[in-house]
Structures are given as structure tokens and as C-alpha cells.
Amino acid sequence: MILYITIAVVTALLASMVDNHPAGKSHAVTRQQLANRVCLTAIFLILFLLSACRLNVGNDYAKYVEFMHLVNCDAYVPTEIGFNLLVKLVYGLSGYENFLLVFACYSFATALFFLLAMYEQSDEFGLTFFLFMTLGYYFQTFSTVRYYLALALALYSMKFVLRKQWGRFLALVVLGAAFHKSLLVVIPLYFLASLSWKKWQLAIAAAFCTTFLFLQDFYLKLVIFLYPTYEDTEYLEGGTSYISILRCAAVLGFAGIVYAMREREKKAGINGGETVTMIEEDREWNRRFWFYAYLNLGAFVLYVFCSFLPIISRIGYYLMVSQILFLPMLLKAVPDKKWRRLFRAGILLAAVVYFAMYLKKGANDGVLILPYKTFFFHEMVEILSDVN
């Protein structure tokens, strides 16, 4: 636990020195640009090496080693073609079942895309990265490595949605789906969140949500069709997360407060006149605001009405991950400095409490990120194929 806290503190301090919106542009490398490169490289190496050097850390590490062994033996595994081809390639080049290198490949790509997404899209990289660490996103990459690579790609793809670069968005999602097909769900969800919804359309959407209450068998059959390996397993038990519901409600409430403050500020200063640049910036801000707001509203609806679905947490995370971009954007938009400091303190405190709660259950089944083990000092436990 001390190791994880140290990693979180050190990387967060490095992230606080990164300015992803440096003032002015110059052909020469400025001091800030150099600081950005050094800090980002250091952050990436720390995150990558901690993940790549782990051994049997993560709730399904041994299960993945078993999957890799079966792929190498040309046996059936319920994994996507991208995962299978990567295993074949790494094992073929290594000449033996080098599962450590496969995990390292996932660690490299996942950390890279998360950092790129945060650096390119956040209004304040330091705060976004702090939330990324304290809300457990990084440490959860130790488990379900295929899904968290897909989640990193989902976060990265949001910029294409906001720019309406649908071709690039679809290409990235389809590529990511080769490693975890659940990523395909973001195609309709992100598209819907990018629309300018009218009140009557929202009313129809709300009415549609009620179908989740009395058509549960139909939706479960649809899930089994998409995930046939879930049939007659514990994965169909469903369940929801009250913490996730609370997080979405809190973010939406904060968004409503900031939006009202900003509108009041705009009305108070409207007599000063608005330039074309100001109007365009306002339009861009509103586009991002409603996109992130609808993503969180969608997550809230899913967690409240769709608890019977076995993949609810995976779908919900594709929507909730936007919070690490949304909260810094909202903070920046708070017009009053005193209120901004107060809101920032509240967000930081809530994130630290969440991180403490997460680490407290780090050794529990379903998490298993504690204790940290590395292949330098530990041996891999026997997998199912070795026992049989």
C-alpha cells in the first residue's frame, strides 16, 4: 500500500508541473515544453514499469496466463482476435510462453493512450491525472487488461466525437474492439451524447428507460446473444454500484451549479458586447459541456435502471471515465475565485477519500492489487493447465 501511495504522490507532483495549454507558440523549445516532456516521460515510465514488472497482481492475472497458454495450444478461449494474435506473436518471437511480455505490451499501450487522452483533452492536466490515479483507474489496469486498454481508447476517442471526425472515431473503436468487443457500445452511446437534445426528446428517452423495468428478460437475452459465454454463469447475476450512482449524481449536481453560475455571469456582462471569438468559444464550451453531461446522465440511468445487466459496470465506466475531463473543465468555468477554490478543495478531498477506500479493499477478491509482487522476487503460481 505504501508503494502505491508513493507512486500516486510522485506522479501527481510531476503532473502538476505539466502545462498542457502553454501560452504562445514558438518554433524554439521553451522551458515549459521541456518540463512537459521530462515530466510526461517520467510519469509514463513509472506507470509502465510498475505495471509491466508485476507478477500475479490483479484479480484475473492467473486467468489471463491460462488464456495465453490455451491460445498458444490452439485451444478455444473466449477472447478477441487482437488478444489472440498478440499472444501468438509474442510467444512466437520469444520462443516460449512469455506471458510477462504480453502483459508489458498491454501496460505500454494502456498507459500511453490514457496519458495522450488526458494531455490532449484536459483543461488542467494535473487535476485530471490526480483524478485518474485517486479514482483507481490506473490501478484497475492491473486487472481485466483487455477492458482497460479499451477504456483508454474510449477516452482517447472522445476528441474525435467532439470534432465530429466520425471516420477516425469508428476506426479507433473497431481497432479497440479487436481486443475487447464491449468497446463497440460506445459507438451509439457517444453518438447519442454528442447530439443537441431537445426537452421533448429527453422525455421520450426517459420513457424508453422505463422499458428496463419490465423487459429485463429481453435485454438479458440480448446480452447472452452478444456474450454467449455468459450463459448459465455467475456473470449473469448483475448488480449495481451505489458509489458510482453517488459519483454521477454529484458530478451532475456540480455541473448544474457551474452552468447556472456561468449563465448568470454571461448575462451580467452581456452589455460589454461579444466578439466572434467569444461566441465561438462559448459554442465550443457548450458542446463539450453537454457531451460530458449526457455521458454522466447516461451512466446514472444505467446504474439505477439496469442493475440486472451483467455488463453494467463495463458500460457505465465507458461513460463515467469522462469525469476526469469534465471536472477540471467545470472548475475552470467557475467565475468566482473563492468558489473555485472551495469546489477544488471539495473535489480533492473526495478523491483522496475514494482512494483510501479503494486501497483498503485492495487485497479483496475482485481487486487483488495487494500485495504487490514482481517477477524479480517472486515466482508465478501454477495455472489450471499445470495443475491438471
Side-chain angles (χ1 to χ4, degrees):
M1 185 179 295
I2 295 176
L3 173 64
Y4 291 159
I5 294 173
T6 302
I7 292 293
V9 170
V10 170
T11 53
L13 288 175
L14 288 169
S16 68
M17 293 185 280
V18 174
D19 181 3
N20 58 325
H21 298 285
K25 294 182 179 179
S26 173
H27 295 293
V29 177
T30 65
R31 183 177 298 179
Q32 182 59 59
Q33 289 173 329
L34 183 60
N36 286 352
R37 293 176 186 179
V38 171
C39 291
L40 287 171
T41 300
I43 291 170
F44 173 77
L45 288 175
I46 291 171
L47 298 185
F48 165 63
L49 291 174
L50 183 71
S51 179
C53 293
R54 76 190 193 280
L55 181 71
N56 201 25
V57 178
N59 69 302
D60 52 5
Y61 191 100
K63 186 177 180 180
Y64 268 111
V65 176
E66 171 73 11
F67 282 164
M68 294 177 203
H69 171 72
L70 294 175
V71 168
N72 194 47
C73 296
D74 295 319
Y76 169 76
V77 287
T79 49
E80 291 80 3
I81 187 172
F83 174 84
N84 299 344
L85 289 176
L86 178 62
V87 171
K88 285 279 191 180
L89 177 63
V90 171
Y91 280 17
L93 292 175
S94 301
Y96 67 101
E97 295 194 354
N98 191 352
F99 59 86
L100 292 172
L101 185 55
V102 177
F103 280 114
C105 290
Y106 270 95
S107 300
F108 184 94
T110 303
L112 178 65
F113 277 103
F114 266 126
L115 286 176
L116 283 174
M118 290 185 284
Y119 183 79
E120 294 179 3
Q121 300 179 64
S122 176
D123 285 76
E124 184 185 339
F125 178 81
L127 179 57
T128 291
F129 183 83
F130 178 82
L131 295 173
F132 171 69
M133 296 298 290
T134 54
L135 295 181
Y137 287 112
Y138 169 68
F139 295 105
Q140 278 298 104
T141 63
F142 293 178
S143 304
T144 55
V145 294
R146 290 162 38 245
Y147 172 76
Y148 273 87
L149 172 59
L151 187 65
L153 293 173
L155 185 67
Y156 188 75
S157 74
M158 289 181 185
K159 70 175 185 177
F160 297 130
V161 176
L162 290 168
R163 296 173 184 172
K164 298 190 181 301
Q165 296 174 329
W166 298 110
R168 296 183 181 184
F169 169 68
L170 290 173
L172 184 62
V173 170
V174 171
L175 175 64
F179 293 89
H180 205 287
K181 61 186 176 183
S182 68
L183 183 60
L184 293 172
V185 76
V186 307
I187 295 177
L189 293 179
Y190 286 10
F191 173 74
L192 291 172
S194 70
L195 299 177
S196 299
W197 289 77
K198 295 179 172 58
K199 291 181 180 179
W200 66 269
Q201 293 172 324
L202 289 173
I204 293 176
F208 172 77
C209 290
T210 62
T211 64
F212 293 120
L213 300 176
F214 53 85
L215 291 178
Q216 295 185 4
D217 290 340
F218 167 76
Y219 289 116
L220 280 174
K221 289 179 181 178
L222 182 61
V223 169
I224 293 174
F225 174 76
L226 295 173
Y227 291 90
T229 55
Y230 280 6
E231 190 169 11
D232 298 324
T233 67
E234 70 275 9
Y235 293 114
L236 285 181
E237 293 178 0
T240 191
S241 170
Y242 296 108
I243 295 295
S244 295
I245 293 174
L246 181 61
R247 270 177 55 182
C248 289
V251 169
L252 288 170
F254 179 47
I257 293 171
V258 173
Y259 190 84
M261 291 176 114
R262 192 169 183 272
E263 288 298 303
R264 186 170 63 248
E265 186 76 8
K266 282 168 56 181
K267 289 180 180 179
I270 199 168
N271 294 329
E274 292 182 294
T275 65
V276 174
T277 302
M278 291 171 60
I279 293 173
E280 183 59 35
E281 288 177 351
D282 185 62
R283 186 181 294 116
E284 175 63 23
W285 189 90
N286 276 292
R287 185 186 300 118
R288 293 177 61 208
F289 174 87
W290 288 111
F291 175 65
Y292 295 142
Y294 286 139
L295 288 179
N296 281 274
L297 179 61
F300 179 81
V301 169
L302 285 173
Y303 280 114
V304 171
F305 291 98
C306 304
S307 60
F308 63 93
L309 292 177
I311 55 174
I312 185 61
S313 61
R314 290 180 177 177
I315 299 175
Y317 262 50
Y318 282 133
L319 305 177
M320 283 179 60
V321 72
S322 63
Q323 292 175 359
I324 65 176
L325 300 176
F326 196 22
L327 288 173
M329 173 190 168
L330 293 173
L331 265 183
K332 186 179 179 181
V334 175
D336 185 89
K337 290 184 179 180
K338 187 178 295 185
W339 277 107
R340 193 183 308 148
R341 294 193 194 99
L342 183 62
F343 285 137
R344 177 182 291 273
I347 291 171
L348 295 178
L349 178 61
V352 170
V353 171
Y354 187 96
F355 188 49
M357 293 171 57
Y358 176 76
L359 289 183
K360 187 176 181 180
K361 62 178 183 180
N364 295 354
D365 290 338
V367 184
L368 291 179
I369 62 170
L370 290 173
Y372 181 80
K373 300 176 184 177
T374 172
F375 61 82
F376 292 116
F377 307 112
H378 301 87
E379 296 291 335
M380 181 60 192
V381 298
E382 289 186 328
I383 59 174
L384 185 62
S385 294
D386 294 332
V387 175
N388 292 338

